[in-house]
C-alpha cells in the first residue's frame, strides 16, 4: 500500500447507522440506517461487529450470513499469517512490517476491536518510517471513534500529536487537525474544535474519518456558535469551500446567513430544523443538542439586544417570530442565569439592555481616549492658526 493512501477502516458510517437505530425518536430514519448498516457489514465481512450489532438487537441474526463471514475472515487471516511467516523466514524488516500491517488492517476492517488494537500496536513497534507510524496511531484513534471509546481516542491523539511534532508531514498534520477537531466537538469544546476544523477547511483530505460534506457541516455548526460576526462572514459565508457545498446543506445555509443578516424569525426556524435534522440524529452531536440550541438562542438575543438600549417585548417577539409570553419566559430564564445583560420592565413592556462590566470598562476607555485626542487636536489647532 502506498504511503499516501489511508484506508477508510473501520467504516465510521456504520456506528452512525447503529446510533440511529438505537434512537426510538428517529423511526423515519430506521429503514435506511438498517439497510446501510447491513450492507456495510457485508461489504467488509465484519463478522465480529455483526455479532455485537445483533446482540444489541439492532439487526436480526442471520446465522447463515454470520457463518459465511466468519469462514471468510478465518481464511483471510490464515493467508495473512502465512504471508507473515514467509516474511520472517526469508525477507527483511520492512517486509515483516508490511505483513504485520496487512494483518492489523484486516482485523481493523472486520471490527475485531481488541485483536485489531493489539495487532496495530505490534505493527507500530516494527514500523520504522515516521509517516507510517503516525498513520497507525491515527488508525487506533479511528478504532476508538468507531467503538465510542474516548480513552482510546484521547490516548492515541496525544501520541499522534507527539509524533507529528517530531516529524509529521503537511498532510498528516492537516488530517490530525480534523481528528482532534471532531473529538473536541464530541466533548462539547466547540470553540477549539471549530478553530481546528476551520484550519483544515482548505486542505481537507481526511475522508477516512468523515465525508467532506459532513466535515463542512460540522465546521459551520461550530463556527456559527463561536465566531464573531465579521469572522463568520469572512471565514464561512464567503469561503469557497463552504459555498461549494451549501446547496447540499440548505438548513445550515439558512442558519448561518439569517443569523448574520439579523433575520431572527427565519434563524429560529432554521435552528429548530437543524436540531431535528443534524443534531439529534448525529452520534457526535446528539448529547449536546439541547446545549447547542440554547447557546444559539442566547447568541441571537445578545446580538439583537446589543444594538439597542431598549426594546419593547412586542417588537422583540416579532423579530423572532414568537409570542410575547415565550420571549418573556425565555429572557427571564437567561437573565436569571447571568447569560443576558438586560432587565425586563413588565409594567411598560420594555427590555432594557445593561452593559456588562467589561463593556462598561471598554466604553469608558474609548470615551477617555477620545477626550484626550480632542484636547490634543484643539491644542494643535491653536498652534497652527
Amino acid at each position: 500500500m502506498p504511503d499516501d493512501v489511508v484506508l477508510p477502516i473501520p467504516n465510521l458510517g456504520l456506528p452512525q447507522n447503529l446510533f440511529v437505530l438505537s434512537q426510538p425518536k428517529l423511526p423515519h430514519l430506521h429503514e435506511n440506517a438498517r439497510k446501510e448498516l447491513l450492507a456495510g457489514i457485508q461489504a467488509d465481512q465484519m463478522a465480529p461487529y455483526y455479532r455485537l450489532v445483533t446482540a444489541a438487537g439492532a439487526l436480526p441474526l442471520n446465522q447463515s450470513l454470520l457463518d459465511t463471514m466468519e469462514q471468510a475472515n478465518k481464511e483471510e487471516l490464515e493467508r495473512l499469517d502465512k504471508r507473515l511467516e514467509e516474511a520472517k523466514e526469508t525477507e527483511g524488516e520492512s517486509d515483516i512490517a508490511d505483513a504485520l500491517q496487512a494483518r492489523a488492517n484486516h482485523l481493523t476492517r472486520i471490527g475485531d476491536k481488541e485483536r485489531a488494537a493489539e495487532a496495530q500496536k505490534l505493527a507500530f513497534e516494527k514500523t520504522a518510517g515516521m509517516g507510517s507510524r503516525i498513520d497507525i496511531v491515527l488508525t487506533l484513534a479511528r478504532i476508538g471513534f468507531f467503538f465510542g471509546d474516548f480513552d482510546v481516542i484521547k490516548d492515541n491523539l496525544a501520541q499522534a500529536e507527539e509524533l507529528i511534532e517530531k516529524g509529521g508531514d503537511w498532510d498528516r498534520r492537516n488530517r490530525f487537525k480534523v481528528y482532534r477537531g471532531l473529538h473536541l466537538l464530541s466533548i462539547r469544546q466547540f470553540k477549539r474544535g471549530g478553530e481546528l476544523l476551520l484550519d483544515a477547511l482548505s486542505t481537507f483530505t481526511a475522508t477516512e474519518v468523515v465525508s467532506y460534506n459532513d466535515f463542512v457541516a460540522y465546521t459551520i455548526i461550530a463556527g456559527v456558535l463561536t465566531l464573531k460576526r465579521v469572522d463568520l462572514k469572512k471565514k464561512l459565508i464567503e469561503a469557497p469551500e463552504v459555498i461549494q457545498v451549501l446547496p447540499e446543506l440548505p438548513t445550515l445555509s439558512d442558519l448561518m446567513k439569517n443569523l448574520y443578516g439579523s433575520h431572527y424569525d427565519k434563524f429560529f426556524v432554521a435552528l429548530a430544523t437543524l436540531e431535528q435534522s443534524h443534531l439529534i440524529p448525529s452520534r457526535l452531536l446528539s448529547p449536546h443538542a439541547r446545549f447547542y440550541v440554547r447557546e444559539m438562542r442566547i447568541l441571537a438575543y445578545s446580538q439583537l439586544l446589543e444594538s439597542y438600549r431598549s426594546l419593547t417585548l412586542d417588537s422583540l417577539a416579532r423579530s423572532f417570530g414568537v409570542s410575547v409570553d415565550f420571549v418573556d419566559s425565555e429572557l427571564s430564564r437567561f437573565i436569571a442565569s447571568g447569560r443576558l445583560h438586560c432587565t425586563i420592565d413588565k409594567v411598560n413592556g420594555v427590555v432594557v439592555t445593561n452593559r456588562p462590566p467589561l463593556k462598561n470598562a471598554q466604553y469608558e476607555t474609548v470615551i477617555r481616549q477620545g477626550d484626550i485626542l480632542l484636547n490634543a487636536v484643539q491644542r494643535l489647532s491653536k498652534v497652527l492658526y
Side-chain angles (χ1 to χ4, degrees):
M1 182 184 70
D3 288 343
D4 58 348
V5 175
V6 181
L7 296 175
I9 57 173
N11 181 352
L12 288 171
L14 302 188
Q16 168 61 31
N17 291 321
L18 180 59
F19 171 79
V20 169
L21 289 172
S22 71
Q23 302 300 305
K25 295 180 180 180
L26 302 172
H28 58 293
L29 301 177
H30 283 186
E31 183 179 355
N32 188 60
R34 191 175 292 109
K35 288 179 180 178
E36 291 187 358
L37 179 59
L38 183 58
I41 288 173
Q42 289 179 291
D44 285 335
Q45 299 285 294
M46 302 179 73
Y49 187 61
Y50 184 63
R51 281 188 175 277
L52 292 176
V53 168
T54 54
L59 292 175
L61 175 61
N62 181 329
Q63 190 61 49
S64 176
L65 173 61
L66 178 60
D67 292 342
T68 299
M69 291 193 297
E70 286 185 332
Q71 181 61 31
N73 290 169
K74 180 181 177 182
E75 292 174 358
E76 179 63 10
L77 192 58
E78 288 175 351
R79 185 188 71 79
L80 292 169
D81 285 339
K82 182 179 180 181
R83 174 72 187 90
L84 177 59
E85 290 304 315
E86 291 174 354
K88 288 179 178 178
E89 290 175 4
T90 63
E91 299 175 20
E93 291 297 321
S94 63
D95 296 300
I96 295 173
D98 289 344
L100 285 170
Q101 187 62 71
R103 185 177 186 277
N105 286 343
H106 166 67
L107 293 169
T108 301
R109 178 180 286 104
I110 65 175
D112 193 336
K113 181 184 178 184
E114 302 302 331
R115 295 171 72 194
E118 181 182 345
Q120 292 288 355
K121 290 174 183 176
L122 180 58
F124 178 85
E125 293 174 2
K126 298 296 184 179
T127 299
M130 181 62 75
S132 297
R133 287 165 70 87
I134 293 171
D135 289 342
I136 292 172
V137 176
L138 290 179
T139 300
L140 284 165
R142 290 200 303 278
I143 292 173
F145 279 116
F146 188 87
F147 289 98
D149 191 326
F150 284 90
D151 289 335
V152 170
I153 297 170
K154 181 179 177 182
D155 291 345
N156 284 286
L157 288 184
Q159 185 178 4
E161 186 172 22
E162 291 179 5
L163 292 172
I164 287 171
E165 290 303 317
K166 291 179 181 177
D169 59 21
W170 174 87
D171 176 66
R172 290 178 175 91
R173 286 178 182 273
N174 281 280
R175 286 198 292 118
F176 174 75
K177 289 178 183 178
V178 177
Y179 284 65
R180 174 71 81 186
L182 293 176
H183 174 58
L184 290 170
L185 293 194
S186 74
I187 58 175
R188 201 176 287 184
Q189 295 187 26
F190 286 96
K191 182 172 178 56
R192 180 56 183 147
E195 289 171 351
L196 288 171
L197 297 183
L198 270 174
D199 284 347
L201 185 60
S202 61
T203 56
F204 175 80
T205 57
T207 53
E208 73 279 5
V209 71
V210 63
S211 70
Y212 184 67
N213 278 17
D214 285 345
F215 165 73
V216 173
Y218 288 135
T219 305
I220 293 173
I221 288 170
V224 170
L225 178 62
T226 60
L227 288 174
K228 294 181 180 179
R229 200 156 175 258
V230 63
D231 291 329
L232 179 63
K233 182 179 182 182
K234 179 181 178 182
K235 296 182 179 182
L236 283 179
I237 295 176
E238 295 180 344
E241 298 82 8
V242 174
I243 293 172
Q244 176 185 346
V245 299
L246 273 188
E248 300 174 56
L249 303 171
T251 300
L252 287 165
S253 177
D254 289 345
L255 182 84
M256 180 170 57
K257 292 180 179 179
N258 286 317
L259 177 64
Y260 179 80
S262 303
H263 306 303
Y264 298 110
D265 52 344
K266 295 178 181 178
F267 165 78
F268 259 30
V269 172
L271 182 60
T273 305
L274 178 77
E275 182 180 20
Q276 297 301 317
S277 62
H278 286 74
L279 302 183
I280 292 176
S282 169
R283 179 176 179 242
L284 188 76
L285 298 176
S286 182
H288 317 300
R290 290 182 63 184
F291 166 84
Y292 184 87
V293 170
R294 183 182 72 244
E295 293 301 308
M296 287 299 293
R297 284 178 173 174
I298 292 171
L299 176 62
Y301 287 132
S302 298
Q303 183 171 296
L304 178 58
L305 290 170
E306 283 176 0
S307 303
Y308 301 93
R309 292 196 62 87
S310 65
L311 276 172
T312 65
L313 280 169
D314 185 61
S315 65
L316 193 61
R318 286 199 308 272
S319 294
F320 285 93
V322 296
S323 68
V324 172
D325 289 340
F326 179 88
V327 166
D328 184 17
S329 173
E330 189 149 81
L331 288 185
S332 298
R333 185 156 46 90
F334 293 147
I335 292 168
S337 62
R339 300 305 308 280
L340 289 177
H341 301 283
C342 58
T343 58
I344 300 175
D345 182 347
K346 291 296 291 289
V347 175
N348 297 307
V350 174
V351 179
V352 180
T353 303
N354 300 324
R355 294 182 185 274
L358 177 60
K359 292 287 185 182
N360 274 333
Q362 292 173 337
Y363 179 73
E364 290 173 1
T365 299
V366 169
I367 295 299
R368 184 168 57 253
Q369 291 177 344
D371 287 340
I372 294 172
L373 178 60
L374 285 173
N375 289 335
V377 170
Q378 288 174 351
R379 287 196 298 270
L380 181 60
S381 65
K382 290 178 181 179
V383 172
L384 294 176
Y385 301 101

